[in-house]
Amino acid sequence: MAYSIGQVAEKTGLSAYTLRYYDHEGLMPFVQRNPAGRREFSDHDLDMVDLITCLKATGMTLKDIRHFVEIAMEGDRTLNGRLALFRKQRDQVDQQIAQLQAYRRKVDYKVRYFEACCEAGTEAAVTGYCDLPDMPIYIDDALRVKPAHK
């Protein structure tokens, strides 16, 4: 089945402008054009657009995505190169996940910190160490504005 750029935009969530830009940047040389010069995407092309979106979302540069597309179009003789590229990208995704987990711990700490502040009625009564987000947070009862819940 052939899809128009508008249909692909609707299916992928990418704008037609972005799809045209990707095509202009050499990321979609596989997309055929009809006699009127309009792009016609196949189901396989949709899979490639999805993969391009994935690679872009995981931080791969357009230059590296273009390189991947170029070597993918060369066929089986580039299998090792494509495997190496995906291994490298997987390592980068693992680093991103680790960084996001560290950010999540810090955000969790801040949630606990401000819950304690709200419970105490003041930030002045609360101590904790944001640089050590897994450490406990303490409320100094002498500095509370609100009485402790019992």
Side-chain angles (χ1 to χ4, degrees), residues 14 18 21-22 27 48-65 86 89 92-93 96:
L14 298 173
T18 298
Y21 177 74
Y22 284 177
L27 304 183
M48 286 297 289
V49 169
D50 185 55
L51 181 56
I52 290 167
T53 302
C54 170
L55 294 173
K56 179 82 173 83
T58 59
M60 187 177 281
T61 66
L62 294 182
K63 177 184 173 188
D64 288 342
I65 295 170
F86 276 94
Q89 194 63 21
Q92 289 181 1
V93 169
Q96 291 172 353

Side-chain angles (χ1 to χ4, degrees), residues 3-145:
Y3 302 96
S4 69
I5 197 164
Q7 290 170 316
V8 173
E10 188 174 313
K11 285 180 173 292
T12 64
L14 298 173
S15 69
Y17 174 85
T18 298
L19 290 165
R20 287 185 193 98
Y21 177 74
Y22 284 177
D23 190 29
H24 180 263
E25 290 298 309
L27 304 183
M28 298 189 304
F30 45 82
V31 175
Q32 300 297 310
R33 292 187 181 252
N34 68 18
R38 292 193 175 96
R39 294 169 187 87
E40 289 187 339
F41 293 78
S42 69
D43 287 324
H44 179 264
D45 296 343
L46 287 178
D47 290 340
M48 286 297 289
V49 169
D50 185 55
L51 181 56
I52 290 167
T53 302
C54 170
L55 294 173
K56 179 82 173 83
T58 59
M60 187 177 281
T61 66
L62 294 182
K63 177 184 173 188
D64 288 342
I65 295 170
R66 182 175 43 251
H67 173 69
F68 163 72
V69 170
E70 288 168 355
I71 64 173
M73 291 182 70
E74 292 178 26
D76 287 348
R77 69 183 191 87
T78 64
L79 288 173
N80 287 331
R82 287 182 275 162
L83 173 59
L85 182 137
F86 276 94
R87 283 182 172 158
K88 179 181 174 189
Q89 194 63 21
R90 180 184 57 194
D91 291 345
Q92 289 181 1
V93 169
D94 288 344
Q95 290 173 7
Q96 291 172 353
I97 290 169
Q99 183 63 60
L100 286 171
Q101 288 172 331
Y103 290 154
R104 173 61 190 260
R105 283 192 304 279
K106 190 167 277 202
V107 168
D108 284 345
Y109 165 83
K110 285 297 191 181
V111 167
R112 291 186 302 115
Y113 177 83
F114 285 111
E115 286 174 344
C117 293
C118 289
E119 180 186 329
T122 179
E123 195 171 352
V126 179
T127 57
Y129 303 99
C130 190
D131 291 336
L132 302 170
D134 297 325
M135 297 300 291
I137 294 171
Y138 300 100
I139 298 175
D140 182 340
D141 286 332
L143 298 175
R144 277 182 179 275
V145 173

